Amino acid sequence: MDTISDAEKVKIAGGFLLNAPPGEFNDVFNDIRVLIGNDQLPQRGVTPHFEQYNTEQFTPVDVPGQSHKVIISKFSQIDTSHYFDPRSNQSFTFDHLRQVASDPQPHSGASHPQRKAVDDAFQEYINEHFSTGIVSVYPHDGHLVVCVVANKYNPRNYWNGRWRSQWTVEISGDQAKAKGVLRSQVHYYEDGNVQLNSEKSVEVTASGGDIANKIVQAAKKAEIEYQTAINESYGQLSSTTFKALRRALPITGTKLDWNKILAYKIGGELSQK
């Protein structure tokens, strides 16, 4: 690292941070500090990457004085350190490194007549299907943007995962359409390093009475189909691709009994040396 400039070090470190697996951002940051060997440089140079990571990854945070969480995203961003919660109509200061909110203030911004109805319908869906799911619904340019995130961290068993979906919902009378981007990211790192990064764009429509609930049900159906397809892909990988990467049995066609290794010819050759 001493042979490259500080600017190049910061650029490389920022790339590592932005690609940090779910739940492992702090681990990556600490490893970067060790590699660079200068605590001041990463803290000074890669701070903007903290903001980018938190907004892109839909980092959830407790709303000060409230019993719910809100998602940090570009749709709730006022400036680099201030965000708002559309559910409680509050703004707050967000510490991107510590990932905590403070200093709540009243906030009046854009509104949408169907925001609460869509929020309530999505909240019901999330509570039913995601044990750790968080949803925030923001008025944005005359329509609604729905951000969903669900994190599952299991470092004791060497895996972490994150689900994100973003829906742009347009409602006109009893007609509605929504464009969604669905993302799944999983990291397995027991005796290896395997990551899944999957993304799919979808569009759904709905019509009739109770339009907010109907468009959410259409979005729910699309998300379930995507999750089912991912599960099926995993099944195919384990029985085809992964299986082809390794030999199920040694070339002899029989399993190797490690307790009797000295009885094998190779074991004898090794013992003679």
Side-chain angles (χ1 to χ4, degrees):
M1 296 293 284
D2 294 334
T3 60
I4 62 177
S5 67
D6 285 350
E8 290 174 316
K9 292 179 183 179
V10 169
K11 182 178 180 180
I12 294 170
F16 282 142
L17 285 172
L18 293 178
N19 288 282
E24 300 170 47
F25 184 86
N26 290 337
D27 295 328
V28 173
F29 179 64
N30 289 332
D31 288 343
I32 287 172
R33 292 171 57 191
V34 173
L35 289 172
I36 292 179
N38 180 342
D39 280 349
Q40 297 300 318
L41 183 59
Q43 292 185 28
R44 182 177 67 251
V46 301
T47 299
H49 294 89
F50 298 167
E51 174 192 341
Q52 184 178 349
Y53 184 87
N54 286 325
T55 54
E56 289 181 354
Q57 297 297 320
F58 290 176
T59 298
V61 63
D62 291 311
V63 181
Q66 304 292 319
S67 60
H68 62 267
K69 294 179 182 288
V70 68
I71 290 173
I72 298 299
S73 76
K74 63 181 181 181
F75 305 105
S76 64
Q77 189 170 32
I78 299 172
D79 56 40
T80 57
S81 60
H82 292 87
Y83 296 78
F84 73 91
D85 169 35
R87 194 175 299 171
S88 64
N89 293 317
Q90 289 186 120
S91 64
F92 54 85
T93 302
F94 182 70
D95 186 322
H96 285 283
L97 180 58
R98 296 170 55 234
Q99 296 187 350
V100 295
S102 61
D103 191 26
Q105 301 290 334
H107 177 80
S108 58
S111 61
H112 191 285
Q114 292 279 17
R115 196 213 71 80
K116 187 178 186 304
V118 172
D119 192 353
D120 290 345
F122 256 104
Q123 189 65 55
E124 183 178 350
Y125 157 50
I126 297 303
N127 290 339
E128 180 182 355
H129 291 277
F130 296 88
S131 60
T132 62
I134 306 295
V135 59
S136 295
V137 181
Y138 307 102
H140 183 74
D141 292 342
H143 51 259
L144 295 170
V145 175
V146 182
C147 297
V148 176
V149 66
N151 297 308
K152 191 74 172 180
Y153 304 146
N154 196 341
R156 292 184 61 183
N157 290 312
Y158 306 100
W159 64 264
N160 296 303
R162 173 172 296 139
W163 167 275
R164 285 172 294 157
S165 59
Q166 177 183 314
W167 292 93
T168 301
V169 181
E170 298 180 19
I171 299 176
S172 179
D174 62 352
Q175 303 289 322
K177 61 179 180 180
K179 295 181 179 180
V181 180
L182 317 180
R183 300 182 177 94
S184 178
Q185 183 178 6
V186 183
H187 183 211
Y188 297 93
Y189 50 100
E190 183 176 13
D191 295 329
N193 187 0
V194 179
Q195 289 199 58
L196 166 73
N197 287 281
S198 176
E199 179 178 313
K200 182 180 182 181
S201 297
V202 296
E203 293 187 24
V204 298
T205 60
S207 60
D210 194 10
I211 190 62
N213 185 65
K214 285 187 176 179
I215 195 64
V216 172
Q217 291 300 313
K220 168 185 173 180
K221 182 175 182 292
E223 291 197 357
I224 291 176
E225 289 176 349
Y226 175 53
Q227 291 176 342
T228 301
I230 291 176
N231 290 337
E232 292 176 350
S233 296
Y234 266 125
Q236 293 175 358
L237 283 172
S238 62
S239 61
T240 56
T241 307
F242 288 157
K243 187 176 181 180
L245 290 175
R246 62 180 182 179
R247 187 186 297 276
L249 293 172
I251 197 169
T252 60
T254 58
K255 292 183 178 180
L256 184 65
D257 187 344
W258 291 100
N259 293 322
K260 299 179 180 178
I261 187 63
L262 292 179
Y264 292 98
K265 180 178 179 181
I266 186 173
E269 293 174 347
L270 288 174
S271 64
Q272 291 173 10
K273 293 180 180 181

